[in-house]
């Protein structure tokens, strides 16, 4: 199963077991997070509903990207500026793609309450 998630203003296609590099997310190495902004999900060529779908991930490391050199120059003006920048990023390992725990609990509660009451009880409530 795969999913397309949005985090840090970018979109990533992920599957269970993938490692991705995203914009910095708060958290320590080893902690787990959930990515709730799922745009698309499917298996093979079949698409699935994204309602209540989340992606569970584990933070592997907080790191910095390679240095980018910013050099400005105006000719004949003796103007030269050199700056470097290293972007912060987070390395994630995708653990699983599935429904949220709250959504699964709601489904379990509704099926448990509906079965013992029978057909007459829901008609009385409506």
């Amino acid at each position: 199963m795969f999913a397309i998630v949005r985090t840090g203003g970018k979109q990533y296609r992920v599957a269970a077991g993938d490692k991705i590099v995203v914009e910095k997310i708060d958290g320590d190495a080893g902690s787990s997070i959930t990515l709730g902004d799922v745009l698309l999900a499917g298996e093979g060529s079949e698409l699935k509903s994204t309602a209540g779908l989340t992606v569970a991930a584990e933070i592997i490391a907080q790191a910095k990207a390679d240095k980018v050199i910013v050099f400005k120059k105006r000719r004949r003006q003796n103007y030269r500026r050199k700056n470097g920048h290293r972007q912060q990023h987070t390395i994630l390992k995708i653990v699983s793609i599935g429904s949220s725990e709250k959504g699964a609990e709601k489904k379990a509660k509704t099926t448990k309450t509906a079965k013992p009451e029978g057909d007459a009880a829901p008609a009385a409530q409506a």
Side-chain angles (χ1 to χ4, degrees):
M1 182 171 188
F2 73 93
I4 296 178
V5 296
R6 179 174 31 205
T7 179
K10 298 182 179 101
Q11 298 173 7
Y12 301 92
R13 183 186 191 275
V14 297
D18 286 353
K19 292 181 182 177
I20 59 172
V21 177
V22 299
E23 295 291 321
K24 183 165 173 55
I25 298 174
D26 289 336
D28 296 327
S31 63
S32 60
I33 61 166
T34 57
L35 304 172
D37 197 3
V38 179
L39 304 174
L40 183 79
E43 196 163 340
S45 61
E46 305 268 332
L47 295 180
K48 297 190 176 191
S49 173
T50 60
L53 195 67
T54 59
V55 175
E58 179 184 351
I59 296 176
I60 294 175
Q62 301 284 4
K64 288 185 177 181
D66 293 336
K67 183 177 277 193
V68 176
I69 303 296
V70 180
F71 185 72
K72 299 178 183 180
K73 179 181 178 181
R74 295 200 178 132
R75 62 185 187 163
R76 297 186 300 272
Q77 304 299 319
N78 195 23
Y79 175 83
R80 288 186 290 258
R81 301 291 181 265
K82 183 178 177 183
N83 284 325
H85 176 74
R86 293 185 72 185
Q87 185 69 31
Q88 302 269 341
H89 62 248
T90 302
I91 302 171
L92 297 177
K93 180 178 181 184
I94 306 301
V95 177
S96 66
I97 300 171
S99 63
S100 66
E101 294 175 7
K102 292 179 183 177
E105 289 174 7
K106 286 181 184 176
K107 288 180 184 178
K109 286 181 183 177
T110 57
T111 56
K112 286 180 184 176
T113 56
K115 286 181 182 178
E117 293 175 346
D119 293 330
Q125 292 176 355

